[in-house]
Amino acid sequence: MSRLRLFVWLLLLAHLGVLLWVAAHLPIGPHEAKLFFTGDTLVARLMHWGVTCFPDAEFLSIRIPFLVLHLINLYLFYRLCQALLNDETEVLTAFVTFLLLPGIVSSAVLATSTGLILALYQAFLLLYIKKREWLAYLVLPLMLYVDKSSVVFFFAMLTFALWRRNIPLLAASVTLFAAAVAMYGIEVHGKPKNYFVDTVALYAAIFSPLLFLYFFYAMYRILLKGQRTILWHIAFTILLLSLLLSMRQKIPIQDFAPYVVVAIPLMVHLFFRSYRVRLPEYRKPYRLAAVAVYAVLVLNTAILVFHRPLFLVLDNPQKHFAAPFYLPYWCAQALKERGIAAVTTRDGKLAYQLRFYGIEPNGGYSLSKKPAPGARSVTIRYKGRSIATCYVSKINN
């Protein structure tokens, strides 16, 4: 076993261990809680399956199905890299890059449809690239039932089939695109407003800033001079579509990003090709650039994973990106310490989170974030530091 392969195996084991730890300690989020109590989607069913099978695993129970999906996606991505790249160094580099992406790490521990999208999309790509097209066509209808992200995917597939003049694929894409639009519609709403910078910032958070900069360059370079494969076409089309739409309205980035990140092998191949055509004395800038990109990537992912200490150093802990996960949990703990088992709140998502922790809705107490006459303050603390304050008042019946 080569040293690089051994390093990747050790990194993979560390990655899985850290993800298990994060999944076991991360409280349920507002979207997850609402989905758990009101949703009838595949994601909601997977959450309930996890709780049924692992009732004593607390937070881990709702996340186990998505960790399993993550393992499947890592395997599929590795196989995809092997199908696309001939060099082992390129395969392992692409795999490690995918492994460390903040967007992939977060999708592994959160109850979202991203894992399902990635699994079906990568299965389709593998079958299509290996010339098992009719099996690939059987995967396509499954993607229709995951969520509304299938609209943009089938649109990209339609444009690819038109470009390649692939009649069977075109017929399947048109049919499924029409079905997706009929099921989910096309979201064009609100007063036109430019969210382009916000969307770029979200992609930078999913990839890490420097990596996304090079990824965008790689996609553009392939457009000009490279081989425009189905993987490149779908990734570039959806990336471009998301940026164009963001000039008018805020887009749900989770509907676009899964189809974009899978193109990581193309970026890695372009880098190594550019690196190897140069004489050794001219390769140093490439090595330095790679070190900078991966240093920022590792730092971003480390902050994402080991985020709790930030509650102790931020001037305003309530602006912590994980505050919507932790504050309701700590609030529930504080309420239980005061013997309060049921509260009424106007915040619907908060009510679902509190319900998950055993604080029932429509109780004899009112919970709010603002003080009211006669209300008792409940201080939410983490390691002795005051993080936030909520107010509880008795409801007079």
Side-chain angles (χ1 to χ4, degrees), residues 16-26 60 305-308:
L16 296 176
V18 168
L19 287 184
L20 277 171
W21 179 81
V22 173
H25 293 85
L26 181 67
L60 187 60
V305 171
F306 304 107
H307 55 260
R308 280 196 183 189

Side-chain angles (χ1 to χ4, degrees), residues 11-124:
L11 182 64
L12 176 60
L13 290 174
H15 171 83
L16 296 176
V18 168
L19 287 184
L20 277 171
W21 179 81
V22 173
H25 293 85
L26 181 67
I28 192 169
H31 176 72
E32 293 172 314
K34 183 178 180 180
L35 202 59
F36 183 82
F37 287 109
T38 66
D40 190 31
T41 63
L42 282 172
V43 173
R45 291 173 186 175
L46 286 173
M47 293 169 72
H48 283 284
W49 177 83
V51 171
T52 301
C53 295
F54 306 95
D56 299 321
E58 296 185 305
F59 306 136
L60 187 60
S61 62
I62 64 169
R63 308 193 191 283
I64 284 178
F66 304 95
L67 287 170
V68 173
L69 271 173
H70 180 63
L71 285 174
I72 294 170
N73 283 319
L74 290 180
Y75 172 75
L76 290 172
F77 185 79
Y78 182 74
R79 291 295 304 273
L80 187 63
C81 289
Q82 287 181 317
L84 294 168
L85 307 171
N86 296 321
D87 182 79
E88 184 186 39
T89 301
E90 293 184 15
V91 170
L92 295 178
T93 302
F95 181 73
V96 168
T97 305
F98 186 78
L99 196 73
L100 293 174
L101 288 181
I104 294 301
V105 170
S106 61
S107 72
V109 297
L110 297 179
T112 67
S113 60
T114 301
L116 291 166
I117 295 168
L118 283 170
L120 291 173
Y121 177 47
Q122 291 186 108
F124 164 76

Side-chain angles (χ1 to χ4, degrees), residues 342-347 351 359-368 395:
V343 296
T344 299
T345 177
R346 294 181 179 180
D347 188 334
I359 304 295
E360 295 299 323
N362 303 319
Y365 291 88
S366 174
L367 178 69
S368 67
I395 297 176

Side-chain angles (χ1 to χ4, degrees), residues 310-332:
L310 293 178
F311 281 108
L312 303 176
V313 297
L314 290 175
D315 291 334
N316 186 356
Q318 295 184 51
K319 292 186 177 180
H320 191 301
F321 65 84
F325 291 81
Y326 286 96
L327 295 187
Y329 173 64
W330 290 333
C331 180

Side-chain angles (χ1 to χ4, degrees), residues 75-308:
Y75 172 75
L76 290 172
F77 185 79
Y78 182 74
R79 291 295 304 273
L80 187 63
C81 289
Q82 287 181 317
L84 294 168
L85 307 171
N86 296 321
D87 182 79
E88 184 186 39
T89 301
E90 293 184 15
V91 170
L92 295 178
T93 302
F95 181 73
V96 168
T97 305
F98 186 78
L99 196 73
L100 293 174
L101 288 181
I104 294 301
V105 170
S106 61
S107 72
V109 297
L110 297 179
T112 67
S113 60
T114 301
L116 291 166
I117 295 168
L118 283 170
L120 291 173
Y121 177 47
Q122 291 186 108
F124 164 76
L125 286 174
L126 273 170
L127 291 169
Y128 190 88
I129 291 169
K130 293 190 174 186
K131 306 299 181 183
R132 300 175 182 176
E133 294 187 12
W134 290 107
L135 286 175
Y137 293 159
L138 294 178
V139 175
L140 291 177
L142 299 178
M143 300 185 70
L144 183 65
Y145 295 99
V146 175
D147 67 7
K148 63 183 184 298
S149 69
S150 59
V151 174
V152 295
F153 170 69
F154 290 127
F155 173 78
M157 286 293 297
L158 189 157
T159 59
F160 176 77
L162 278 172
W163 176 50
R164 287 296 179 91
R165 298 179 183 178
N166 186 326
I167 302 304
L169 184 59
L170 179 61
S173 300
V174 168
T175 302
L176 292 169
F177 176 67
V181 171
M183 287 177 65
Y184 304 110
I186 298 178
E187 294 186 4
V188 179
H189 52 77
K191 184 179 179 180
K193 188 177 179 181
N194 195 328
Y195 287 93
F196 181 83
V197 174
D198 302 71
T199 302
V200 171
L202 286 172
Y203 274 120
I206 290 167
F207 281 85
S208 86
L210 295 182
L211 188 66
F212 178 65
L213 188 64
Y214 186 73
F215 178 85
F216 189 85
Y217 163 77
M219 294 294 101
Y220 179 70
R221 179 71 181 271
I222 293 171
L223 171 66
L224 298 180
K225 297 182 179 180
Q227 185 178 3
R228 302 170 197 172
T229 62
I230 184 173
L231 176 57
W232 173 85
H233 187 97
I234 292 173
F236 185 77
T237 301
I238 291 180
L239 175 61
L240 187 62
L241 181 63
S242 65
L243 295 175
L244 290 174
L245 284 174
S246 69
M247 294 180 182
R248 188 208 177 274
Q249 64 189 52
K250 189 174 183 178
I251 64 165
I253 196 69
Q254 67 274 12
D255 290 350
F256 297 83
Y259 304 108
V260 178
V261 297
V262 178
I264 286 288
L266 305 181
M267 178 196 72
V268 170
H269 178 67
L270 179 67
F271 173 81
F272 276 104
R273 190 179 66 186
S274 301
Y275 178 79
R276 286 167 178 155
V277 297
R278 283 161 175 79
L279 295 172
E281 57 265 31
Y282 298 111
R283 292 176 177 176
K284 187 176 180 180
Y286 284 83
R287 290 196 295 270
L288 293 175
V291 169
V293 167
Y294 281 96
V296 173
L297 173 61
V298 170
L299 178 63
N300 282 13
T301 304
I303 291 173
L304 177 67
V305 171
F306 304 107
H307 55 260
R308 280 196 183 189

Side-chain angles (χ1 to χ4, degrees), residues 335 366-372 375-378 389-393:
L335 291 172
S366 174
L367 178 69
S368 67
K369 297 178 182 179
K370 296 181 180 180
R376 289 187 292 166
S377 64
V378 177
T389 302
C390 56
Y391 299 89
V392 178
S393 56

